[in-house]
Amino acid sequence: MTAIGRASRGRDEVILLAHGDGGALTNELVKGVFFKYFRSDTLRLLSDAAVFNVEKGRLALTTDSFVVDPIFFSGGDIGRLAICGTINDLAVSGARPLYLAASFMIEEGFALSDLERVLSSMSVACRAAGVSVVAGDTKVVGRGHLDKIFITTTGVGVVPEGVDLGYHRLLPGDLVLINGSVGNHGLAVLAAREELGFGDQIESDCAPLNRLIDKLTRRFNGIKIMRDLTRGGLATAAKEIASAAGVDFWLTEKAIPLDAQVYGAAEMLGLDPLYLANEGKFLMVIDVAQANAALDLMRGDRLGRQACIIGEVRKGSGKVYLKTLPGGTRLLDLLAGAPLPRIC
Amino acid sequence: MWVLDKLRDPGLCGRLLERVKKLAADAVSHLGRPAVFMEVCGTHTTAISRAGLRGILAGSLELRSGPGCPVCVTDIQEIDQMLGYARLRGITVATFGDMIRVPGSNTSLEQERARGADVRVVYSPADAVSLAESLPGRQVVFFGVGFETTTPMVALSLAEANSRKLKNYSVFSVHKVVPPVLHALVAEEDLLVDGLILPGHVSAITGRAAFDFLSDKFGIPSVITGFEPFDILGALCQLLEMVLSGRAEVQNGYGRVVREEGNKEAQGIIHKFFYVADASWRGFGSIPGSGLLLKREFSGLDARHRFPIPMLPLRPSKGCRCGDLLKGKITPAQCPLFAGACTPAKPVGPCMVSSEGACSAYYRYERGNGQ
């Protein structure tokens, strides 16, 4: 295999501007590096577009860009995020993810070994989800023009017949479920970025949820809506659903799963776990009659062991209330700006 | 975690809450109106609101917020001076995250950063010192905001900068101390307050005894307490018991952290680098002996000395009532701008944007509680 853009200094090979030119070096990079990790036959055709058959039904399409800093953190990295994030957006919309496209914008000087680490992680995530990257693009920009690497993934999926999710379906009495503990990803990234020294005690929960969600949607037609918990955390997701559906959510603080380490770290930093990001958790609103069975199914899955019923839907106007541990009531609203740690 | 779990135990808190409700009802009979207690620590304001206690006790006990937020009580002219630093070429402003969004007269650090100013958020002043060391070509100015809890850390950063012989680290100190503002608060004739909840972490530094003047001179029952629901409920019990028996004492309800004489080492390092001076507090004006400025022998570490920035003339505020709020004269809901023109996304005053600010806490946790 030819050496890819060997840099003049040291043994660390780096990405050069020429790798984004579309010429020989790009070709070497795609075939020699990207193809090691993305094995789709469609991709390997290297045509200008991936062409594939689709089953009858409604298509779902989503896209997301990933610019997380730092790119490597406990429990994941930007590559894993890029795959799981897009797959999960499709899954919570009721779609079975079919294919992904991935475009990479890379800073000149980015270490090849880091690129391979990111791609390898993407490959592992794709395998776990059973979804392939079938189209891609690579650009390289000058040093300082972006921060190491940005990835955009676009995903297409199909919503099976009979799956009907939407705000219109929410009714007072529906229950709100979550598949596990909150705040893990947000804290893991913060800890890595600020070098807080938590080691591996707090790990991102980044994971592809499509298989678990598929099991749920196949069995339960009482699922009204689902929402991926990303930036803004549980509170924001709940608020968005409640506002859009014009109902009130009543959540119980005691019921919300929280890992002891996340709880402790958030306390120390003065952050509220209800507003910290997750990448492997989703909210599900389901008919009360099916809630317990759905809970059992989730708890039988690796990604749902700590699943809980955390609240219910009531008639209202888009507010989210939290019954606090001492028995009080607190309003959960959208955050203005990023959560800021306390001064004293 | 076991300790925190116990302090949040719903069973324990539940029983304590029942006791508070009973004592509060007794106090209503005794006083002819609900008792009014004021907390004077932003973290308490937030903790009380987060636990939903104000709402549970509404009607039987009134919990008001006082001047507890070091960000909120910083005078707007001093915020404007710090913004002036941000605009100077060659200066890197290092600050706690809270200050980033606080509005000055017409801009904020966040906005200046977007326009190209070098503004860095640090978790601790020690990080600002390391930053200075890593940026030898720039002058790092640390925005020194905070009460007694924070000032020792800033003093330590000055000691560190000295020992590393750094010439590019300085502090713009708007640090303040709490006992004088409480003195000014309770000396106001029209203040109606039956007891004070005193700040837990400030007291850890000053010691319980520093607040004795509240009971000795002014006859106001006071309790120092921590931040868990259990701590706060405990303090309310103690305050109500004092009100009902007509006693006025300053009690330590946070014995696991606060000592009678406080933290002598922390006090020592504060006084090594800072001297006590008059300071201007938003809402109160000048309060004697309430501020901390860097001693002359450390003028090389004092941004005020090294980079004098003229104070801009005070512009009239746009209907902002942070001043009255900080004195407990109004609640956030009584400010005409609250949740309308002034929201966390577009704050007019610091009380709405600081995580210790009363308006911020009420906006986040109390709307919908009839507050």
Side-chain angles (χ1 to χ4, degrees):
Chain A
M1 202 198 75
T2 54
I4 308 292
R6 204 179 282 283
S8 57
R9 59 186 168 96
R11 292 156 42 210
D12 295 340
E13 296 176 29
V14 295
I15 300 295
L16 305 174
L17 276 178
H19 283 114
D21 274 355
L25 276 183
T26 305
N27 209 262
E28 274 180 22
L29 184 65
V30 170
K31 292 189 174 155
V33 179
F34 282 86
F35 279 8
K36 270 189 347 192
Y37 304 98
F38 298 133
R39 305 292 187 108
S40 147
D41 292 335
T42 311
L43 183 69
R44 279 156 186 272
L45 291 174
L46 283 180
S47 44
D48 281 344
V51 179
F52 44 82
N53 286 319
V54 282
E55 29 186 298
K56 234 176 56 150
R58 290 160 294 165
L59 287 182
L61 178 68
T62 188
T63 190
D64 233 318
S65 295
F66 299 87
V67 299
V68 67
D69 169 43
I71 57 176
F72 300 116
F73 41 86
S74 181
D77 56 60
I78 191 172
R80 184 171 174 79
L81 261 190
I83 298 295
C84 295
T86 291
I87 284 181
N88 292 347
D89 280 344
L90 288 172
V92 297
S93 308
R96 268 179 221 138
L98 293 176
Y99 302 109
L100 296 170
S103 45
F104 299 83
M105 287 185 286
I106 308 173
E107 184 190 17
E108 176 189 25
F110 188 57
L112 182 63
S113 57
D114 283 345
L115 177 63
E116 297 217 43
R117 205 172 143 190
V118 168
L119 296 176
S120 166
S121 183
M122 292 174 83
S123 170
V124 167
C126 284
R127 246 200 318 280
V131 183
S132 306
V133 170
V134 299
D137 181 59
T138 312
K139 296 284 186 302
V140 182
V141 297
R143 197 172 253 284
H145 287 240
L146 66 82
D147 188 15
K148 299 191 197 65
I149 183 168
F150 294 163
I151 306 178
T152 300
T153 47
T154 302
V156 70
V158 68
V159 181
E161 201 64 59
V163 173
D164 174 27
L165 304 176
Y167 300 116
H168 61 280
R169 290 198 58 201
L170 266 67
L171 288 172
D174 288 343
L175 294 184
V176 182
L177 274 62
I178 193 173
N179 65 313
S181 63
V182 298
N184 300 56
H185 176 76
L187 260 181
V189 171
L190 186 67
R193 187 185 310 142
E194 304 294 338
E195 291 169 8
L196 296 177
F198 292 156
D200 285 333
Q201 290 182 78
I202 295 183
E203 284 198 341
S204 167
D205 54 355
C206 181
L209 296 165
N210 56 314
R211 295 194 201 270
L212 169 56
I213 291 179
D214 192 49
K215 281 195 276 187
L216 287 163
T217 52
R218 276 179 203 270
R219 228 179 100 183
F220 301 107
N221 60 3
I223 297 177
K224 311 296 186 83
I225 199 150
M226 289 181 285
R227 189 60 151 255
D228 195 6
L229 301 194
T230 52
R231 279 174 309 176
L234 166 60
T236 305
K239 178 68 186 175
E240 284 172 350
I241 300 175
S243 300
V247 298
D248 281 354
F249 270 31
W250 279 80
L251 306 178
T252 306
E253 186 172 24
K254 211 166 34 179
I256 297 173
L258 191 56
D259 287 344
Q261 294 92 329
V262 171
Y263 170 34
E267 277 300 303
M268 264 198 324
L269 296 168
L271 298 170
D272 189 343
L274 296 185
Y275 285 92
L276 291 175
N278 280 89
E279 287 291 339
K281 301 292 176 345
F282 64 104
L283 276 189
M284 182 169 83
V285 179
I286 188 169
D287 190 292
V288 59
Q290 298 183 343
N292 283 323
L295 198 63
D296 285 339
L297 191 157
M298 285 162 87
R299 285 181 176 167
D301 187 287
R302 201 174 53 85
L303 295 176
R305 297 256 186 266
Q306 286 182 293
C308 277
I309 299 175
I310 61 168
E312 62 172 3
V313 173
R314 295 192 197 168
K315 191 154 175 291
S317 55
K319 296 206 163 54
V320 177
Y321 295 97
L322 182 75
K323 275 215 86 59
T324 63
L325 283 175
T329 305
R330 177 187 144 188
L331 195 64
L332 289 181
D333 209 332
L334 295 176
L335 265 189
L340 296 169
R342 60 152 66 106
I343 282 190
C344 58
Chain B
M1 276 323 107
W2 181 87
V3 174
L4 277 185
D5 284 343
K6 280 295 159 204
L7 293 170
R8 294 186 177 190
D9 177 67
L12 270 175
C13 286
R15 292 203 290 280
L16 210 43
L17 181 59
E18 287 314 305
R19 180 155 173 75
V20 170
K21 284 180 178 171
K22 176 181 178 315
L23 289 171
D26 291 344
V28 171
S29 308
H30 182 74
L31 296 168
R33 54 164 176 78
V36 178
F37 296 143
M38 183 184 276
E39 90 272 357
V40 291
C41 164
T43 313
H44 274 144
T45 309
T46 308
I48 290 170
S49 291
R50 250 179 97 174
L53 292 177
R54 249 177 271 272
I56 306 178
L57 297 168
S60 59
L61 185 59
E62 197 182 320
L63 295 173
R64 286 214 163 212
S65 306
C69 165
V71 173
C72 308
V73 298
T74 304
D75 219 31
I76 199 165
Q77 289 173 299
E78 286 174 322
I79 296 180
D80 285 340
Q81 281 182 293
M82 198 62 204
L83 291 166
Y85 284 122
R87 287 194 287 266
L88 286 180
R89 205 174 269 280
I91 291 208
T92 294
V93 165
T95 176
F96 291 121
D98 250 36
M99 296 309 302
I100 281 279
R101 303 188 60 241
V102 172
S105 297
N106 48 30
T107 183
S108 67
L109 286 174
E110 181 184 47
Q111 289 175 26
E112 291 307 308
R113 182 174 60 187
R115 289 189 188 104
D118 190 6
V119 178
R120 317 276 183 113
V121 170
V122 292
Y123 279 72
S124 120
D127 293 341
V129 174
S130 303
L131 186 66
E133 210 168 27
S134 71
L135 300 172
R138 296 188 66 80
Q139 287 290 335
V140 172
V141 176
F142 180 76
F143 197 2
V145 181
F147 296 142
E148 289 92 330
T149 321
T150 320
T151 316
M153 289 197 300
V154 177
L156 280 175
S157 80
L158 293 166
E160 186 61 25
N162 251 356
S163 77
R164 294 194 210 175
K165 298 191 177 10
L166 294 179
K167 299 281 176 250
N168 63 333
Y169 178 75
S170 59
V171 169
F172 177 65
S173 170
V174 297
H175 287 296
K176 297 177 170 58
V177 289
V178 169
V181 73
L182 294 186
H183 194 286
L185 181 75
V186 300
E188 294 241 338
E189 274 170 25
D190 55 351
L191 180 77
L192 174 61
V193 134
D194 302 305
L196 293 175
I197 300 171
L198 295 178
H201 294 153
V202 166
S203 303
I205 304 297
T206 62
R208 187 211 64 82
F211 295 100
D212 269 330
F213 68 93
L214 290 168
S215 57
D216 297 345
K217 191 169 167 191
F218 294 98
I220 299 198
S222 310
V223 178
I224 299 170
T225 192
F227 305 96
E228 300 306 317
F230 183 86
D231 291 318
I232 295 167
L233 289 168
L236 293 177
C237 279
Q238 285 173 262
L239 283 170
L240 285 163
E241 278 162 2
M242 280 194 273
V243 166
L244 288 168
S245 63
R247 278 177 299 133
E249 286 164 18
V250 175
Q251 293 176 353
N252 182 358
Y254 199 21
R256 63 189 190 269
V257 168
V258 176
R259 292 188 290 231
E260 181 69 9
E261 74 284 5
N263 185 323
K264 287 292 184 200
E265 209 176 296
Q267 290 167 23
I269 196 152
I270 293 178
H271 292 297
K272 176 173 174 193
F273 285 93
F274 295 90
Y275 70 96
V276 171
D278 296 351
S280 180
W281 291 60
R282 195 186 296 246
F284 290 84
S286 178
I287 299 183
S290 65
L292 292 169
L293 295 176
L294 274 155
K295 287 180 170 170
R296 185 155 295 164
E297 70 209 73
F298 300 110
S299 58
L301 295 162
D302 185 350
R304 286 181 195 266
H305 177 85
R306 295 189 56 191
F307 315 108
I309 291 241
M311 238 196 224
L312 300 173
L314 188 61
R315 287 151 126 252
S317 67
K318 304 157 244 188
C320 172
R321 293 196 63 193
C322 280
D324 285 334
L325 179 89
L326 289 164
K327 285 168 130 166
K329 291 209 152 110
I330 60 168
T331 64
Q334 289 169 324
C335 171
L337 303 183
F338 179 74
C342 186
T343 62
K346 315 174 275 81
V348 173
C351 301
M352 183 58 86
V353 70
S354 167
S355 64
E356 309 267 316
C359 293
S360 167
Y362 279 57
Y363 187 93
R364 276 180 289 157
Y365 307 121
E366 302 276 3
R367 288 177 308 137
N369 262 350
Q371 293 282 337

